[in-house]
Amino acid sequence: MTNNCKHTLEFETDNNKPSKISKPDNHNMTQKNSAAGIQRYLVAIEYIGTHFSGSQKQLSCRTVVGALEQAFTKFIGQAVIVSCSSRTDAGVHALSNVCHVDIQRTSKRRPGEVLPPHEPSVVRRAVNHFLQKNDSDLTVIDVRCVPLDFHARFSAQERTYFYRLLSGPEPVSAFEKDRAWHVPEELNLSAMREACKVLVGRHDFSSFRAAGCQATSPIRTLDELSVCEVIPSLYFPNTMDRERHNQDLNGCHSNSETVIPPPSSSASIDKGTTSTEDIGFGKRRQHRCLVVTARARSFLYHQVRLLVGVLKVVGTGNLTIPDVERILNAKTITAASPMAPACGLYLGEVKYDLPN
């Protein structure tokens, strides 16, 4: 598949209503649609964004919404419109993105006869059946019935993004291709955490707002921006980890959750990354894996990737904390560092106050 389409309209997330879209009269629409037997479903999906030209539907490219609409159409026998909570660029992944779709269930034997809505579990199984017939990089993970005035985008209260960085000189694993940003240099975790303290909170994020952003204001409240080191994926426990895990299962923790212990220390990861010591034929030296977490009600266009770009340069030592303050206060995109690539970005969660 070719990814030669333009993606300038794709957003990491945007909670601002575009000026061309007017909000409908929800009360009248609810009454009308309820009488017509229409049910709105809130649908959570996961996907690998590598072979999608973003989430929003495009005429000549494979997109998340386009693939989802096709699967729904095959399921119910008529065209539907899928509305997504958060737009993602080409190459960006989602652990959980959310959309909504309105479905009127009609009888195939008696055309025009409206039937009771499908149960959410039926919708999930059926749509996944048609999705898996084509490709396996998009899956419905949850479905719920919601009122017709509940909107996947405008009802969202909070969004969380994760960004994965692999640090170290070793070539990136084939299993990590297009799943993380490989940074050959060592990254200073403590310096990156200090930079997060400058950026978190309510600011004018004009320096972290790409051209083409449709938001009316650059002011955003970043509720969380943090960096932590995690076990590199894919995780297959070594002998020591397996022994510890078995001890937990056989020991005094049988009534509590069993947690697989992390590697003994970050120092051991550093040594494994840079050492020339022979670790045995056919065994790969692991990278350090750092995860940036960004959480807010809404984000500007490319804001998360621009934030990560600055954090990475701080981690390599090419920017200082005063430099980060200068970039933030400059309020111009030209002051920021190069944007992080899409392949390491994951939409992790969209939070709602769901009706009972």
Side-chain angles (χ1 to χ4, degrees):
M1 163 209 150
T2 59
N3 283 333
N4 58 352
C5 294
K6 296 181 180 179
H7 314 302
T8 55
L9 295 180
E10 305 301 337
F11 288 78
E12 286 165 7
T13 107
D14 185 1
N15 201 36
N16 297 279
K17 304 180 183 68
S19 57
K20 294 182 180 180
I21 300 177
S22 59
K23 203 167 184 180
D25 186 336
N26 290 327
H27 179 71
N28 292 336
M29 181 177 289
T30 299
Q31 289 183 331
K32 180 180 178 181
N33 289 347
S34 295
I38 294 177
Q39 176 62 60
R40 176 162 293 185
Y41 295 94
L42 198 64
V43 182
I45 54 176
E46 65 179 9
Y47 50 87
I48 299 169
T50 306
H51 300 300
F52 286 108
S53 296
S55 61
Q56 291 302 98
K57 190 174 180 179
Q58 300 179 52
L59 294 179
S60 58
C61 297
R62 181 172 181 256
T63 66
V64 173
V65 167
L68 202 56
E69 287 184 350
Q70 287 180 4
F72 268 102
T73 298
K74 290 177 181 178
F75 166 42
I76 64 172
Q78 55 184 303
V80 300
I81 296 176
V82 170
S83 299
C84 221
S85 71
S86 308
R87 302 177 188 178
T88 55
D89 281 335
V92 175
H93 318 293
L95 304 176
S96 181
N97 199 347
V98 180
C99 55
H100 75 251
V101 58
D102 295 337
I103 294 178
Q104 182 188 57
R105 183 187 177 193
T106 57
S107 174
K108 295 181 180 179
R109 296 181 179 179
R110 300 177 181 177
E113 180 182 354
V114 178
L115 301 177
H118 292 287
E119 290 294 323
S121 59
V122 173
V123 175
R124 177 184 175 184
R125 288 196 303 269
V127 175
N128 276 334
H129 169 75
F130 290 108
L131 286 172
Q132 302 312 309
K133 273 191 169 184
N134 298 319
D135 296 281
S136 58
D137 51 1
L138 170 60
T139 303
V140 173
I141 57 177
D142 207 355
V143 179
R144 178 177 292 199
C145 295
V146 293
L148 287 161
D149 60 355
F150 191 93
H151 199 286
R153 180 182 175 192
F154 300 134
S155 299
Q157 295 184 331
E158 186 177 83
R159 296 166 171 88
T160 301
Y161 276 94
F162 300 110
Y163 197 99
R164 297 181 67 240
L165 301 105
L166 298 178
S167 170
E170 290 291 315
V172 69
S173 166
F175 294 102
E176 291 287 3
K177 187 177 185 299
D178 299 321
R179 304 290 196 277
W181 184 11
H182 178 216
V183 180
E185 302 95 334
E186 288 298 322
L187 294 174
N188 186 328
L189 180 58
S190 60
M192 295 172 73
R193 285 174 169 168
E194 287 300 312
C196 287
K197 296 177 183 178
V198 175
L199 298 167
V200 77
R202 185 173 179 81
H203 302 288
D204 181 332
F205 282 103
S206 294
S207 295
F208 300 91
R209 176 187 189 180
C213 181
Q214 295 179 355
T216 56
S217 170
I219 306 296
R220 287 293 183 275
T221 300
L222 195 54
D223 296 309
E224 179 184 357
L225 185 65
S226 61
V227 190
C228 64
E229 185 167 358
V230 301
I231 299 173
S233 295
L234 302 166
Y235 175 68
F236 299 95
N238 58 31
T239 302
M240 183 178 297
D241 288 341
R242 292 197 301 271
E243 289 176 351
R244 289 176 180 172
H245 182 62
N246 289 335
Q247 288 172 3
D248 287 340
L249 288 176
N250 298 326
C252 60
H253 305 293
S254 58
N255 293 327
S256 62
E257 279 191 31
T258 302
V259 179
I260 298 176
S264 55
S265 68
S266 59
S268 67
I269 300 177
D270 292 344
K271 182 179 178 182
T273 301
T274 60
S275 174
T276 57
E277 177 186 351
D278 185 8
I279 60 173
F281 179 75
K283 293 184 178 179
R284 166 178 286 278
R285 289 185 176 88
Q286 291 183 327
H287 296 88
R288 291 179 68 199
C289 183
L290 305 184
V291 174
V292 178
T293 301
R295 179 170 53 86
R297 182 177 180 87
S298 64
F299 291 89
L300 300 169
Y301 182 37
H302 283 165
Q303 182 181 355
V304 177
R305 290 167 61 188
L306 286 163
L307 289 167
V308 173
V310 166
L311 293 178
K312 177 262 184 182
V313 182
V314 170
T316 58
N318 296 104
L319 282 181
T320 64
I321 302 305
D323 289 329
V324 177
E325 295 173 343
R326 173 184 54 78
I327 292 170
L328 180 63
N329 294 329
K331 300 177 184 178
T332 172
I333 185 62
T334 57
S337 299
M339 183 170 64
C343 61
L345 185 61
Y346 296 74
L347 174 56
E349 180 184 9
V350 185
K351 186 178 179 181
Y352 298 93
D353 183 10
L354 290 172
N356 294 326

